[in-house]
Amino acid sequence: MNSNRPKLFSVLLRRINHFFRSAKDVSAVTIRTTVQLPIILNDGSEAMAEMYSFSGFVDGKEHFALKLGRPDPTHPLVRIHSECVTGDALGSARCDCGPQLQEALSLFNKEGGYLLYLRQEGRGIGLYEKLDAYRLQEQGHDTFTANLELGHNVDERDYQAAADILNALKLNQIMLMTNNPDKRQQLEKAGIQVHGTRPTGVFANRHNHGYLTSKIHRGNHQISIDELLSKP
C-alpha cells in the first residue's frame, strides 16, 4: 500500500457537506420510523428500547438512535457510539468499543438515556482500511500513526449527524457520556448545549493497553492512567 497516498478527498467532502448543510434548515434530518426493539443486555436481562431511523443525512449513511428507560426530561444522558464491527459484533479485545456499548445500554436501561449509533467505522476510515491499520499496528505502529501511514487523519469522525439526530429528537440540551473531548466540542459547535459530561468506564485488557494509552497521550481522551495501569 502507498503510505503517502493523501486522503484529501475525505476532508474536502466533509467541508462540502458542512457548506451545503449550513444552507439548509436545522430540521433537515427528520425521524423516519420508530419501532420497539427488545434487546438482551450483557447480564442476560431483557430491556425494551425504542429505535429511531432518520431521513435527510447529508452523508447518506444509516445512523440510528436508541432510547432506553426514562431519560431526564431536562438534560437527558446521551452516548455517541461510533460503529465498530470488530468490537460491537465480534467482541474484539483490541479496543474498548464493545464494553462501552454494553455499558451504555445497561446504564440507560436503569437511568434512562439515548444511544446515538453513528456509522463511522474505524474512526471514519471504514472497516477494510481499519483492518489495514490493524496490520500496521502488528508491525509496531500505534492506532493513530497507523491511520497516518494509510494517508488518513488520526480521527476523521464528524459528529454533525449526531447533532442532527438530537435536533430531530428535540434534544438540544444534554448530558454527554464520553471520555473524548472532541465529541463535546463538535456538538457545541453545532449548536447543542452540553451541560456536562459523564465518563465511560476503563475497559482494559492485555490486548488493548497500548491502544488505550495512545488514546490518552495522542487523542486527549480523559481516561485515568492510574486506573488503566491497575488493570491486568
Side-chain angles (χ1 to χ4, degrees), residues 113-137:
Y114 293 85
L115 179 90
L116 313 187
Y117 197 93
L118 303 188
R119 315 306 290 272
Q120 300 187 132
E121 180 75 49
R123 296 199 302 275
I125 68 175
L127 177 60
Y128 282 10
E129 294 247 8
K130 183 176 85 169
L131 297 181
D132 291 340
Y134 276 1
R135 182 59 180 153
L136 289 174
Q137 289 171 43

Short mmCIF file of all heavy atoms in Angstrom, two decimals, residues 113-137:
data_model
loop_
_atom_site.label_atom_id
_atom_site.label_comp_id
_atom_site.label_asym_id
_atom_site.label_seq_id
_atom_site.Cartn_x
_atom_site.Cartn_y
_atom_site.Cartn_z
N GLY A 113 -31.75 7.07 28.93
CA GLY A 113 -30.79 7.75 28.08
C GLY A 113 -30.95 7.39 26.62
O GLY A 113 -31.77 6.54 26.25
N TYR A 114 -30.16 8.06 25.79
CA TYR A 114 -30.20 7.87 24.35
C TYR A 114 -28.83 7.43 23.85
O TYR A 114 -27.82 8.06 24.17
CB TYR A 114 -30.59 9.16 23.63
CG TYR A 114 -32.00 9.64 23.87
CD1 TYR A 114 -32.30 10.42 24.99
CD2 TYR A 114 -33.02 9.32 22.98
CE1 TYR A 114 -33.59 10.87 25.22
CE2 TYR A 114 -34.32 9.78 23.20
CZ TYR A 114 -34.59 10.54 24.32
OH TYR A 114 -35.88 10.99 24.54
N LEU A 115 -28.82 6.39 23.05
CA LEU A 115 -27.61 5.96 22.37
C LEU A 115 -27.71 6.35 20.91
O LEU A 115 -28.65 5.95 20.22
CB LEU A 115 -27.42 4.45 22.48
CG LEU A 115 -26.17 3.93 21.77
CD1 LEU A 115 -24.97 3.94 22.72
CD2 LEU A 115 -26.38 2.52 21.22
N LEU A 116 -26.76 7.14 20.43
CA LEU A 116 -26.70 7.52 19.02
C LEU A 116 -25.62 6.68 18.36
O LEU A 116 -24.44 6.79 18.72
CB LEU A 116 -26.38 9.01 18.86
CG LEU A 116 -27.17 10.01 19.73
CD1 LEU A 116 -26.83 11.43 19.31
CD2 LEU A 116 -28.65 9.74 19.68
N TYR A 117 -26.02 5.84 17.42
CA TYR A 117 -25.08 4.91 16.78
C TYR A 117 -24.74 5.44 15.40
O TYR A 117 -25.57 5.44 14.49
CB TYR A 117 -25.71 3.52 16.68
CG TYR A 117 -24.71 2.41 16.44
CD1 TYR A 117 -24.15 1.70 17.51
CD2 TYR A 117 -24.32 2.06 15.15
CE1 TYR A 117 -23.24 0.67 17.29
CE2 TYR A 117 -23.42 1.04 14.92
CZ TYR A 117 -22.88 0.34 16.00
OH TYR A 117 -21.98 -0.68 15.78
N LEU A 118 -23.50 5.89 15.26
CA LEU A 118 -23.04 6.51 14.02
C LEU A 118 -22.22 5.53 13.20
O LEU A 118 -21.33 4.86 13.73
CB LEU A 118 -22.21 7.77 14.30
CG LEU A 118 -22.88 8.86 15.13
CD1 LEU A 118 -22.00 10.11 15.14
CD2 LEU A 118 -24.27 9.20 14.61
N ARG A 119 -22.48 5.50 11.90
CA ARG A 119 -21.79 4.56 11.02
C ARG A 119 -20.45 5.15 10.58
O ARG A 119 -20.28 5.61 9.45
CB ARG A 119 -22.68 4.24 9.82
CG ARG A 119 -24.13 3.95 10.18
CD ARG A 119 -24.30 2.86 11.24
NE ARG A 119 -23.96 1.55 10.74
CZ ARG A 119 -24.82 0.74 10.12
NH1 ARG A 119 -26.07 1.11 9.92
NH2 ARG A 119 -24.44 -0.44 9.71
N GLN A 120 -19.51 5.14 11.52
CA GLN A 120 -18.19 5.74 11.30
C GLN A 120 -17.11 4.74 11.70
O GLN A 120 -16.27 5.02 12.56
CB GLN A 120 -18.05 7.03 12.11
CG GLN A 120 -19.09 8.09 11.75
CD GLN A 120 -18.85 9.42 12.42
OE1 GLN A 120 -18.88 10.46 11.78
NE2 GLN A 120 -18.61 9.41 13.72
N GLU A 121 -17.14 3.59 11.06
CA GLU A 121 -16.20 2.51 11.38
C GLU A 121 -14.74 2.98 11.29
O GLU A 121 -14.37 3.74 10.39
CB GLU A 121 -16.42 1.36 10.39
CG GLU A 121 -15.53 0.17 10.58
CD GLU A 121 -15.92 -0.68 11.77
OE1 GLU A 121 -17.11 -1.02 11.89
OE2 GLU A 121 -15.02 -1.01 12.58
N GLY A 122 -13.94 2.54 12.27
CA GLY A 122 -12.51 2.83 12.21
C GLY A 122 -12.16 4.30 12.32
O GLY A 122 -11.27 4.78 11.62
N ARG A 123 -12.87 5.04 13.18
CA ARG A 123 -12.70 6.49 13.29
C ARG A 123 -12.87 7.17 11.94
O ARG A 123 -12.19 8.12 11.60
CB ARG A 123 -11.34 6.86 13.92
CG ARG A 123 -11.17 6.39 15.36
CD ARG A 123 -10.06 7.14 16.10
NE ARG A 123 -8.78 7.03 15.44
CZ ARG A 123 -7.93 6.01 15.61
NH1 ARG A 123 -8.23 5.03 16.45
NH2 ARG A 123 -6.78 5.98 14.98
N GLY A 124 -13.81 6.61 11.15
CA GLY A 124 -14.19 7.27 9.91
C GLY A 124 -13.52 6.75 8.65
O GLY A 124 -13.80 7.26 7.57
N ILE A 125 -12.65 5.72 8.75
CA ILE A 125 -11.94 5.27 7.55
C ILE A 125 -12.53 4.01 6.94
O ILE A 125 -12.11 3.59 5.87
CB ILE A 125 -10.43 5.05 7.84
CG1 ILE A 125 -10.19 3.87 8.77
CG2 ILE A 125 -9.81 6.32 8.41
CD1 ILE A 125 -8.72 3.54 8.98
N GLY A 126 -13.48 3.38 7.62
CA GLY A 126 -14.11 2.18 7.07
C GLY A 126 -13.46 0.90 7.59
O GLY A 126 -12.33 0.89 8.08
N LEU A 127 -14.18 -0.20 7.45
CA LEU A 127 -13.74 -1.47 8.01
C LEU A 127 -12.46 -1.99 7.37
O LEU A 127 -11.51 -2.39 8.06
CB LEU A 127 -14.85 -2.52 7.88
CG LEU A 127 -14.49 -3.93 8.37
CD1 LEU A 127 -14.13 -3.92 9.85
CD2 LEU A 127 -15.63 -4.89 8.08
N TYR A 128 -12.40 -2.02 6.03
CA TYR A 128 -11.24 -2.61 5.37
C TYR A 128 -9.96 -1.84 5.68
O TYR A 128 -8.90 -2.42 5.92
CB TYR A 128 -11.46 -2.69 3.86
CG TYR A 128 -12.35 -3.83 3.42
CD1 TYR A 128 -13.07 -4.59 4.34
CD2 TYR A 128 -12.47 -4.16 2.08
CE1 TYR A 128 -13.88 -5.63 3.94
CE2 TYR A 128 -13.27 -5.21 1.66
CZ TYR A 128 -13.98 -5.95 2.59
OH TYR A 128 -14.77 -6.98 2.19
N GLU A 129 -10.08 -0.52 5.67
CA GLU A 129 -8.88 0.28 5.98
C GLU A 129 -8.53 0.16 7.46
O GLU A 129 -7.36 0.25 7.84
CB GLU A 129 -9.11 1.75 5.57
CG GLU A 129 -9.25 1.95 4.08
CD GLU A 129 -8.10 2.73 3.46
OE1 GLU A 129 -7.11 2.99 4.15
OE2 GLU A 129 -8.21 3.07 2.27
N LYS A 130 -9.53 -0.06 8.31
CA LYS A 130 -9.23 -0.30 9.72
C LYS A 130 -8.41 -1.59 9.87
O LYS A 130 -7.47 -1.64 10.67
CB LYS A 130 -10.50 -0.38 10.55
CG LYS A 130 -10.22 -0.56 12.05
CD LYS A 130 -11.48 -0.55 12.89
CE LYS A 130 -12.13 -1.91 12.94
NZ LYS A 130 -13.21 -1.95 13.97
N LEU A 131 -8.77 -2.61 9.10
CA LEU A 131 -8.00 -3.84 9.15
C LEU A 131 -6.58 -3.63 8.62
O LEU A 131 -5.62 -4.23 9.13
CB LEU A 131 -8.72 -4.93 8.36
CG LEU A 131 -10.10 -5.34 8.90
CD1 LEU A 131 -10.69 -6.46 8.04
CD2 LEU A 131 -10.04 -5.77 10.35
N ASP A 132 -6.45 -2.78 7.60
CA ASP A 132 -5.10 -2.42 7.14
C ASP A 132 -4.32 -1.74 8.27
O ASP A 132 -3.12 -1.99 8.45
CB ASP A 132 -5.18 -1.48 5.93
CG ASP A 132 -5.71 -2.16 4.68
OD1 ASP A 132 -5.66 -3.40 4.61
OD2 ASP A 132 -6.18 -1.44 3.78
N ALA A 133 -5.01 -0.88 9.02
CA ALA A 133 -4.37 -0.20 10.15
C ALA A 133 -4.00 -1.20 11.24
O ALA A 133 -2.93 -1.08 11.87
CB ALA A 133 -5.30 0.88 10.71
N TYR A 134 -4.84 -2.20 11.47
CA TYR A 134 -4.51 -3.26 12.42
C TYR A 134 -3.20 -3.96 12.03
O TYR A 134 -2.36 -4.27 12.88
CB TYR A 134 -5.63 -4.28 12.49
CG TYR A 134 -6.79 -3.94 13.41
CD1 TYR A 134 -6.82 -2.75 14.13
CD2 TYR A 134 -7.85 -4.83 13.57
CE1 TYR A 134 -7.87 -2.44 14.97
CE2 TYR A 134 -8.91 -4.54 14.42
CZ TYR A 134 -8.92 -3.35 15.12
OH TYR A 134 -9.97 -3.06 15.95
N ARG A 135 -3.07 -4.21 10.74
CA ARG A 135 -1.86 -4.87 10.26
C ARG A 135 -0.64 -4.02 10.55
O ARG A 135 0.42 -4.53 10.98
CB ARG A 135 -1.96 -5.16 8.75
CG ARG A 135 -0.77 -5.89 8.18
CD ARG A 135 -0.54 -7.22 8.85
NE ARG A 135 0.60 -7.92 8.29
CZ ARG A 135 1.32 -8.80 8.94
NH1 ARG A 135 1.04 -9.07 10.21
NH2 ARG A 135 2.33 -9.41 8.37
N LEU A 136 -0.74 -2.72 10.35
CA LEU A 136 0.37 -1.81 10.65
C LEU A 136 0.65 -1.78 12.15
O LEU A 136 1.80 -1.66 12.57
CB LEU A 136 0.06 -0.41 10.14
CG LEU A 136 0.08 -0.24 8.61
CD1 LEU A 136 -0.40 1.15 8.23
CD2 LEU A 136 1.48 -0.49 8.06
N GLN A 137 -0.40 -1.87 12.96
CA GLN A 137 -0.20 -1.91 14.42
C GLN A 137 0.57 -3.17 14.82
O GLN A 137 1.40 -3.14 15.73
CB GLN A 137 -1.55 -1.85 15.13
CG GLN A 137 -2.24 -0.49 15.02
CD GLN A 137 -3.67 -0.52 15.54
OE1 GLN A 137 -3.94 -1.10 16.58
NE2 GLN A 137 -4.58 0.11 14.82
#
